[in-house]
Protein backbone atom coordinates (compact mmCIF):
# COMPACT_ATOMS: atom_id res chain seq x y z
CA UNK A 1 0.00 0.00 0.00
CA UNK A 2 1.38 3.39 -1.03
CA UNK A 3 0.38 6.24 1.26
CA UNK A 4 0.76 9.98 1.06
CA UNK A 5 1.38 11.89 4.31
CA UNK A 6 0.70 15.57 4.74
CA UNK A 7 1.81 17.78 7.64
CA UNK A 8 0.95 21.48 8.08
CA UNK A 9 0.38 21.86 11.83
CA UNK A 10 2.93 24.64 12.39
CA UNK A 11 5.50 26.24 10.13
CA UNK A 12 6.57 23.29 7.99
CA UNK A 13 4.69 22.28 4.86
CA UNK A 14 5.60 18.66 4.36
CA UNK A 15 4.56 15.77 2.14
CA UNK A 16 5.92 12.23 2.03
CA UNK A 17 5.25 8.96 0.26
CA UNK A 18 5.62 5.69 2.12
CA UNK A 19 5.27 2.08 1.07
CA UNK A 20 3.52 -0.17 3.59
CA UNK A 21 3.83 2.46 6.29
CA UNK A 22 7.51 1.75 6.76
CA UNK A 23 9.59 2.45 3.65
CA UNK A 24 10.06 6.17 3.03
CA UNK A 25 10.03 6.64 -0.76
CA UNK A 26 10.20 10.42 -0.45
CA UNK A 27 9.94 13.12 2.18
CA UNK A 28 9.80 16.81 1.31
CA UNK A 29 9.84 19.55 3.96
CA UNK A 30 9.31 23.19 2.98
CA UNK A 31 10.21 25.10 6.13
CA UNK A 32 8.93 28.60 6.78
CA UNK A 33 11.42 29.18 9.62
CA UNK A 34 13.31 31.89 7.71
CA UNK A 35 10.07 33.72 7.03
CA UNK A 36 9.01 33.77 10.71
CA UNK A 37 12.51 34.56 12.01
CA UNK A 38 11.98 38.29 11.54
CA UNK A 39 9.12 38.20 14.08
CA UNK A 40 11.00 35.94 16.50
CA UNK A 41 8.34 33.23 16.36
CA UNK A 42 5.62 31.69 14.22
CA UNK A 43 2.91 34.14 13.10
CA UNK A 44 -0.17 31.91 12.70
CA UNK A 45 -1.84 33.76 9.85
CA UNK A 46 1.39 34.02 7.87
CA UNK A 47 1.91 30.29 8.40
CA UNK A 48 -1.57 29.45 7.07
CA UNK A 49 -1.08 31.55 3.97
CA UNK A 50 2.29 29.98 3.22
CA UNK A 51 0.74 26.52 3.56
CA UNK A 52 -1.90 27.52 0.99
CA UNK A 53 0.89 28.53 -1.37
CA UNK A 54 3.14 25.54 -0.76
CA UNK A 55 0.81 22.58 -0.17
CA UNK A 56 0.37 21.51 -3.79
CA UNK A 57 3.98 22.07 -4.96
CA UNK A 58 5.21 20.14 -1.92
CA UNK A 59 2.82 17.26 -2.57
CA UNK A 60 3.77 17.09 -6.26
CA UNK A 61 7.46 17.23 -5.40
CA UNK A 62 7.04 14.29 -3.01
CA UNK A 63 5.12 12.28 -5.63
CA UNK A 64 7.81 12.98 -8.23
CA UNK A 65 10.68 12.21 -5.85
CA UNK A 66 9.01 8.87 -5.01
CA UNK A 67 9.01 7.99 -8.72
CA UNK A 68 5.26 7.41 -8.80
CA UNK A 69 2.18 9.14 -10.20
CA UNK A 70 -0.83 10.51 -8.29
CA UNK A 71 -3.04 7.48 -9.18
CA UNK A 72 -0.52 5.20 -7.45
CA UNK A 73 -1.49 6.68 -4.06
CA UNK A 74 -3.72 4.19 -2.22
CA UNK A 75 -4.50 6.32 0.83
CA UNK A 76 -3.80 9.67 2.47
CA UNK A 77 -2.93 10.59 6.07
CA UNK A 78 -3.00 14.19 7.25
CA UNK A 79 -2.20 15.87 10.56
CA UNK A 80 -5.55 17.19 11.83
CA UNK A 81 -4.74 17.88 15.52
CA UNK A 82 -3.28 19.59 17.56
CA UNK A 83 -1.57 22.67 16.12
CA UNK A 84 -2.23 26.12 14.71
CA UNK A 85 -5.85 25.82 13.63
CA UNK A 86 -5.55 27.85 10.42
CA UNK A 87 -2.46 25.88 9.42
CA UNK A 88 -4.17 22.55 10.13
CA UNK A 89 -7.27 23.53 8.15
CA UNK A 90 -5.14 24.15 5.05
CA UNK A 91 -3.64 20.65 5.25
CA UNK A 92 -6.98 18.97 5.97
CA UNK A 93 -8.70 20.81 3.10
CA UNK A 94 -5.91 19.94 0.67
CA UNK A 95 -5.95 16.29 1.77
CA UNK A 96 -9.76 16.09 1.45
CA UNK A 97 -9.70 17.61 -2.03
CA UNK A 98 -7.04 15.13 -3.10
CA UNK A 99 -8.88 12.20 -1.49
CA UNK A 100 -12.05 13.07 -3.39
CA UNK A 101 -10.27 13.78 -6.67
CA UNK A 102 -8.44 10.44 -6.51
CA UNK A 103 -11.27 8.59 -4.76
CA UNK A 104 -8.95 7.33 -2.05
CA UNK A 105 -9.44 6.96 1.72
CA UNK A 106 -8.24 9.66 4.12
CA UNK A 107 -7.39 9.49 7.84
CA UNK A 108 -6.54 12.21 10.35
CA UNK A 109 -3.44 11.81 12.51
CA UNK A 110 -2.62 13.29 15.92
CA UNK A 111 0.65 15.20 15.54
CA UNK A 112 2.21 13.52 18.59
CA UNK A 113 1.20 10.08 17.34
CA UNK A 114 3.20 11.08 14.28
CA UNK A 115 6.24 11.93 16.37
CA UNK A 116 5.87 8.56 18.14
CA UNK A 117 5.74 6.85 14.75
CA UNK A 118 9.08 8.43 13.83
CA UNK A 119 10.66 6.08 16.38
CA UNK A 120 9.27 3.06 14.50
CA UNK A 121 10.47 4.51 11.19
CA UNK A 122 13.93 4.86 12.72
CA UNK A 123 13.90 1.38 14.23
CA UNK A 124 11.50 -1.14 12.72
CA UNK A 125 12.22 -3.52 15.60
CA UNK A 126 10.88 -1.12 18.23
CA UNK A 127 7.87 -2.80 19.79
CA UNK A 128 5.98 -2.00 22.99
CA UNK A 129 6.39 -1.81 25.86
CA UNK A 130 8.73 1.17 25.80
CA UNK A 131 8.94 4.66 27.22
CA UNK A 132 9.07 7.64 24.87
CA UNK A 133 10.27 11.11 25.71
CA UNK A 134 8.24 13.45 23.47
CA UNK A 135 9.98 16.80 23.24
CA UNK A 136 8.92 19.44 20.75
CA UNK A 137 8.18 23.13 20.53
CA UNK A 138 4.70 22.65 21.98
CA UNK A 139 4.95 19.47 24.06
CA UNK A 140 7.14 17.81 26.63
CA UNK A 141 5.96 14.53 28.05
CA UNK A 142 7.04 11.09 29.06
CA UNK A 143 4.72 8.42 27.69
CA UNK A 144 4.60 4.71 28.38
CA UNK A 145 3.52 2.75 25.33
CA UNK A 146 2.18 -0.48 26.85
CA UNK A 147 2.32 -3.91 25.25
CA UNK A 148 -1.15 -3.51 23.71
CA UNK A 149 -0.32 -0.05 22.34
CA UNK A 150 -2.17 1.77 25.13
CA UNK A 151 -0.57 5.06 26.09
CA UNK A 152 -0.06 6.30 29.62
CA UNK A 153 1.41 9.70 30.42
CA UNK A 154 3.99 9.33 33.17
CA UNK A 155 4.99 12.98 33.32
CA UNK A 156 4.59 16.23 31.44
CA UNK A 157 5.73 19.81 31.62
CA UNK A 158 3.92 22.02 34.10
CA UNK A 159 4.72 25.17 32.12
CA UNK A 160 6.92 25.61 29.03
CA UNK A 161 7.79 22.86 26.58
CA UNK A 162 11.50 22.03 26.24
CA UNK A 163 11.63 23.42 22.68
CA UNK A 164 9.85 26.56 23.83
CA UNK A 165 12.50 26.96 26.55
CA UNK A 166 15.30 26.54 23.98
CA UNK A 167 13.66 29.10 21.69
CA UNK A 168 12.79 31.69 24.36
CA UNK A 169 16.22 31.52 26.01
CA UNK A 170 17.91 31.74 22.61
CA UNK A 171 15.90 34.86 21.87
CA UNK A 172 17.07 36.43 25.15
CA UNK A 173 20.63 35.62 24.04
CA UNK A 174 20.05 37.40 20.72
CA UNK A 175 19.84 34.29 18.57
CA UNK A 176 17.39 33.94 15.66
CA UNK A 177 14.21 31.84 15.66
CA UNK A 178 14.06 28.91 16.04
CA UNK A 179 16.76 29.05 18.67
CA UNK A 180 17.08 25.33 19.48
CA UNK A 181 19.40 24.45 16.58
CA UNK A 182 21.52 27.57 17.26
CA UNK A 183 21.97 26.63 20.92
CA UNK A 184 22.87 23.09 19.79
CA UNK A 185 25.51 24.38 17.35
CA UNK A 186 27.06 26.84 19.84
CA UNK A 187 26.95 24.37 22.72
CA UNK A 188 29.17 21.95 20.79
CA UNK A 189 32.15 24.25 21.39
CA UNK A 190 31.19 25.65 24.80
CA UNK A 191 31.81 24.78 28.44
CA UNK A 192 28.66 23.32 30.04
CA UNK A 193 30.02 23.98 33.53
CA UNK A 194 30.64 27.70 32.96
CA UNK A 195 27.23 28.96 34.20
CA UNK A 196 25.31 27.13 36.94
CA UNK A 197 21.74 27.38 35.61
CA UNK A 198 19.02 25.83 37.82
CA UNK A 199 17.50 22.37 37.28
CA UNK A 200 13.86 21.86 38.33
CA UNK A 201 13.79 18.33 39.73
CA UNK A 202 10.30 18.58 41.31
CA UNK A 203 11.02 15.90 43.91
CA UNK A 204 10.06 12.38 42.85
CA UNK A 205 7.71 13.61 40.13
CA UNK A 206 8.33 12.74 36.49
CA UNK A 207 6.90 16.15 35.53
CA UNK A 208 9.07 18.92 34.13
CA UNK A 209 9.27 22.68 34.60
CA UNK A 210 11.31 25.05 32.47
CA UNK A 211 9.93 28.48 33.35
CA UNK A 212 12.43 28.97 36.22
CA UNK A 213 15.31 28.26 33.87
CA UNK A 214 13.92 30.76 31.37
CA UNK A 215 13.83 33.45 34.08
CA UNK A 216 17.34 32.52 35.24
CA UNK A 217 18.70 32.92 31.70
CA UNK A 218 17.00 36.31 31.41
CA UNK A 219 18.47 37.50 34.73
CA UNK A 220 21.88 36.13 33.79
CA UNK A 221 21.87 37.87 30.39
CA UNK A 222 20.91 41.22 31.98
CA UNK A 223 23.64 40.97 34.61
CA UNK A 224 26.31 39.52 32.32
CA UNK A 225 25.86 42.02 29.49
CA UNK A 226 27.49 39.68 26.98
CA UNK A 227 30.74 39.21 28.95
CA UNK A 228 30.54 35.41 29.02
CA UNK A 229 31.30 33.75 25.67
CA UNK A 230 28.02 32.74 23.98
CA UNK A 231 29.11 29.12 23.37
CA UNK A 232 29.66 28.70 27.12
CA UNK A 233 26.22 30.15 27.94
CA UNK A 234 24.61 27.94 25.27
CA UNK A 235 26.40 24.82 26.54
CA UNK A 236 25.40 25.59 30.14
CA UNK A 237 21.77 26.19 29.14
CA UNK A 238 21.63 23.03 27.03
CA UNK A 239 23.15 21.02 29.88
CA UNK A 240 20.46 22.30 32.28
CA UNK A 241 17.67 21.19 29.93
CA UNK A 242 19.26 17.91 28.84
CA UNK A 243 20.28 16.74 32.31
CA UNK A 244 16.70 16.83 33.62
CA UNK A 245 15.15 15.35 30.47
CA UNK A 246 17.60 12.45 30.42
CA UNK A 247 17.52 11.70 34.15
CA UNK A 248 13.71 11.58 34.23
CA UNK A 249 13.41 9.61 30.98
CA UNK A 250 15.83 6.94 32.21
CA UNK A 251 14.13 6.79 35.61
CA UNK A 252 10.70 6.52 33.94
CA UNK A 253 11.89 3.58 31.83
CA UNK A 254 13.42 1.89 34.89
CA UNK A 255 10.31 2.41 37.03
CA UNK A 256 8.04 1.19 34.22
CA UNK A 257 10.18 -1.93 33.89
CA UNK A 258 10.72 -1.57 30.13
CA UNK A 259 13.92 -2.30 28.24
CA UNK A 260 13.64 0.37 25.53
CA UNK A 261 13.67 4.15 25.66
CA UNK A 262 12.80 6.26 22.62
CA UNK A 263 12.85 9.99 22.05
CA UNK A 264 10.83 11.97 19.52
CA UNK A 265 9.99 15.55 18.52
CA UNK A 266 12.07 18.47 17.29
CA UNK A 267 14.20 18.71 20.43
CA UNK A 268 15.25 15.07 19.88
CA UNK A 269 17.39 16.48 17.05
CA UNK A 270 19.59 18.07 19.73
CA UNK A 271 23.00 16.40 19.64
CA UNK A 272 23.63 16.90 23.33
CA UNK A 273 20.32 15.25 24.22
CA UNK A 274 20.92 12.32 21.86
CA UNK A 275 24.42 11.72 23.19
CA UNK A 276 23.36 11.92 26.85
CA UNK A 277 20.39 9.61 26.27
CA UNK A 278 22.61 7.05 24.60
CA UNK A 279 25.19 7.24 27.40
CA UNK A 280 22.81 7.24 30.37
CA UNK A 281 20.29 4.89 28.77
CA UNK A 282 23.06 2.49 27.82
CA UNK A 283 24.41 2.63 31.36
CA UNK A 284 20.95 1.65 32.63
CA UNK A 285 20.87 -1.30 30.19
CA UNK A 286 18.21 0.29 27.98
CA UNK A 287 17.95 0.06 24.22
CA UNK A 288 17.87 3.70 23.16
CA UNK A 289 16.12 4.79 19.95
CA UNK A 290 16.95 8.27 18.65
CA UNK A 291 15.52 8.99 15.17
CA UNK A 292 17.77 10.87 12.72
CA UNK A 293 17.31 14.67 12.93
CA UNK A 294 15.11 14.96 9.83
CA UNK A 295 12.64 12.50 11.36
CA UNK A 296 12.68 14.37 14.70
CA UNK A 297 11.61 17.77 13.41
CA UNK A 298 8.18 18.06 11.80
CA UNK A 299 7.82 15.90 8.70
CA UNK A 300 5.08 14.09 6.83
CA UNK A 301 6.82 10.70 6.73
CA UNK A 302 5.96 10.21 10.41
CA UNK A 303 2.34 11.21 9.68
CA UNK A 304 2.04 8.68 6.87
CA UNK A 305 3.55 6.01 9.14
CA UNK A 306 1.15 6.82 11.98
CA UNK A 307 -1.88 6.82 9.68
CA UNK A 308 -0.98 3.62 7.83
CA UNK A 309 -2.56 1.02 10.18
CA UNK A 310 -5.95 2.72 10.00
CA UNK A 311 -5.77 3.12 6.22
CA UNK A 312 -4.77 -0.54 5.92
CA UNK A 313 -7.75 -1.44 8.14
CA UNK A 314 -10.12 0.29 5.74
CA UNK A 315 -10.83 3.44 7.77
CA UNK A 316 -11.94 6.42 5.67
CA UNK A 317 -12.66 9.83 7.23
CA UNK A 318 -13.22 11.82 4.04
CA UNK A 319 -16.73 12.82 5.12
CA UNK A 320 -16.06 13.49 8.80
CA UNK A 321 -12.55 14.78 9.29
CA UNK A 322 -12.17 18.10 11.08
CA UNK A 323 -9.20 19.97 12.54
CA UNK A 324 -8.66 20.69 16.26
CA UNK A 325 -6.23 23.18 17.77
CA UNK A 326 -5.74 21.22 20.98
CA UNK A 327 -6.42 17.64 21.92
CA UNK A 328 -4.59 15.25 24.23
CA UNK A 329 -2.81 12.35 22.63
CA UNK A 330 -5.17 9.42 21.98
CA UNK A 331 -5.15 6.71 24.60
CA UNK A 332 -3.97 4.23 22.00
CA UNK A 333 -1.65 4.66 19.05
CA UNK A 334 -2.74 2.20 16.31
CA UNK A 335 0.82 1.87 14.99
CA UNK A 336 1.82 0.17 18.21
CA UNK A 337 -1.46 -1.67 18.88
CA UNK A 338 -1.37 -5.43 18.52
CA UNK A 339 -3.76 -6.36 15.70
CA UNK A 340 -5.44 -9.11 17.72
CA UNK A 341 -6.06 -6.99 20.79
CA UNK A 342 -6.14 -3.42 19.56
CA UNK A 343 -9.22 -1.72 18.24
CA UNK A 344 -8.85 0.59 15.27
CA UNK A 345 -10.64 3.88 15.96
CA UNK A 346 -13.09 4.73 13.19
CA UNK A 347 -13.19 8.48 13.50
CA UNK A 348 -10.63 10.98 14.68
CA UNK A 349 -13.21 13.71 15.14
CA UNK A 350 -16.97 13.73 15.65
CA UNK A 351 -19.08 13.59 12.46
CA UNK A 352 -20.48 16.92 11.33
CA UNK A 353 -24.18 17.26 11.99
O1 LIG B 1 8.56 18.88 16.58
P1 LIG B 1 8.91 20.22 16.08
O2 LIG B 1 9.61 20.32 14.73
O3 LIG B 1 7.64 21.13 16.00
C1 LIG B 1 6.65 21.05 17.02
O4 LIG B 1 5.84 20.11 16.95
O5 LIG B 1 6.72 21.91 17.92
O6 LIG B 1 9.81 20.93 17.20
C2 LIG B 1 10.27 22.23 17.03
C3 LIG B 1 11.14 22.56 18.21
C4 LIG B 1 11.59 24.01 18.24
O7 LIG B 1 11.39 24.52 19.54
C5 LIG B 1 13.06 23.93 17.88
O8 LIG B 1 13.85 24.95 18.44
C6 LIG B 1 13.43 22.60 18.48
O9 LIG B 1 12.32 21.76 18.19
N1 LIG B 1 14.64 22.04 17.90
C7 LIG B 1 15.79 21.88 18.59
C8 LIG B 1 16.74 21.38 17.67
N2 LIG B 1 16.14 21.26 16.45
C9 LIG B 1 14.85 21.67 16.61
N3 LIG B 1 16.08 22.12 19.89
C10 LIG B 1 17.33 21.85 20.29
N4 LIG B 1 18.29 21.39 19.47
C11 LIG B 1 18.04 21.14 18.16
N5 LIG B 1 19.00 20.68 17.37
ZN1 LIG C 1 6.17 18.45 16.02
Amino acid sequence: MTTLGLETSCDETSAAVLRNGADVLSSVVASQADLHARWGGVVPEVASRKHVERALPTIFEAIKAAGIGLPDINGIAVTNRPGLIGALVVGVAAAKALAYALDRPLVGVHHLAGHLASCRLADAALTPPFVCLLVSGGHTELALVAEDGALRTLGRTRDDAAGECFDKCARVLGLPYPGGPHIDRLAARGDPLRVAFPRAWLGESLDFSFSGLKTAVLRFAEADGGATPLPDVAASLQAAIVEVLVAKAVRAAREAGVSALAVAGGVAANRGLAAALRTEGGRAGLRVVVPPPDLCTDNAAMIAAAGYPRLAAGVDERMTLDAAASEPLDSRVPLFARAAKGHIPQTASPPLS
Side-chain angles (χ1 to χ4, degrees):
M1 184 178 201
T2 303
T3 52
L4 173 73
L6 189 56
E7 154 68 40
T8 65
S9 68
C10 191
D11 60 343
E12 259 101 31
T13 316
S14 178
V17 177
L18 264 66
R19 185 148 294 150
N20 297 329
D23 300 327
V24 183
L25 302 187
S26 70
S27 177
V28 178
V29 180
S31 177
Q32 308 175 4
D34 291 351
L35 180 69
H36 297 282
R38 78 182 84 155
W39 291 290
V42 179
V43 181
E45 197 206 320
V46 174
S48 308
R49 286 158 58 178
K50 267 292 156 197
H51 287 310
V52 170
E53 195 180 303
R54 291 184 176 173
L56 285 182
T58 306
I59 290 168
F60 292 140
E61 201 181 325
I63 301 280
K64 193 172 164 206
I68 62 165
L70 268 179
D72 297 322
I73 298 290
N74 305 121
I76 302 170
V78 63
T79 308
N80 74 322
R81 66 201 193 281
L84 301 173
I85 191 66
L88 288 166
V89 164
V90 175
V92 170
K96 278 195 178 192
L98 208 54
Y100 274 102
L102 297 173
D103 192 19
R104 297 289 190 272
L106 169 70
V107 293
V109 171
H110 192 291
H111 184 75
L112 289 185
H115 277 304
L116 265 171
S118 71
C119 303
R120 173 64 73 79
L121 277 179
D123 184 345
L126 179 67
T127 45
F130 65 91
V131 162
C132 185
L133 171 67
L134 282 160
V135 269
S136 69
H139 295 86
T140 294
E141 61 183 80
L142 274 166
L144 169 66
V145 184
E147 214 167 343
D148 61 357
L151 268 185
R152 190 151 62 85
T153 300
L154 305 173
R156 58 160 58 94
T157 184
R158 295 182 183 175
D159 39 59
D160 294 346
E164 198 180 350
C165 180
F166 266 111
D167 295 345
K168 286 178 175 170
C169 292
R171 192 175 176 174
V172 164
L173 299 173
L175 296 167
Y177 170 86
H182 293 283
I183 298 286
D184 188 352
R185 184 177 42 79
L186 287 164
R189 55 189 169 88
D191 175 8
L193 300 176
R194 179 70 184 258
V195 190
F197 287 126
R199 277 90 166 133
W201 292 108
L202 308 178
E204 294 300 297
S205 171
L206 289 171
D207 282 353
F208 302 95
S209 168
F210 295 106
S211 63
L213 175 57
K214 187 179 63 184
T215 309
V217 171
L218 182 64
R219 296 268 148 75
F220 169 83
E222 282 165 0
D224 186 62
T228 308
L230 204 47
D232 291 347
V233 183
S236 302
L237 163 63
Q238 182 169 294
I241 297 173
V242 165
E243 202 178 303
V244 180
L245 288 175
V246 171
K248 294 207 178 202
V250 170
R251 184 155 62 84
R254 221 182 33 230
E255 286 176 8
V258 299
S259 58
L261 172 62
V263 62
V267 178
N270 184 271
R271 288 170 294 170
L273 176 60
L277 270 176
R278 288 198 176 100
T279 306
E280 296 305 318
R283 201 170 279 158
L286 296 166
R287 190 157 75 87
V288 177
V289 176
V290 185
D294 56 350
L295 279 180
C296 292
T297 46
D298 287 350
N299 66 89
M302 68 185 194
I303 302 303
Y308 170 73
R310 296 168 70 240
L311 285 169
V315 178
D316 184 3
E317 299 171 343
R318 260 182 290 177
M319 290 297 280
T320 56
L321 197 64
D322 197 1
S326 62
E327 196 174 294
L329 185 53
D330 307 339
S331 58
R332 189 179 293 251
V333 176
L335 184 65
F336 294 107
R338 293 267 163 82
K341 295 184 202 163
H343 79 282
I344 303 286
Q346 291 298 307
T347 49
S349 51
L352 297 173
S353 51

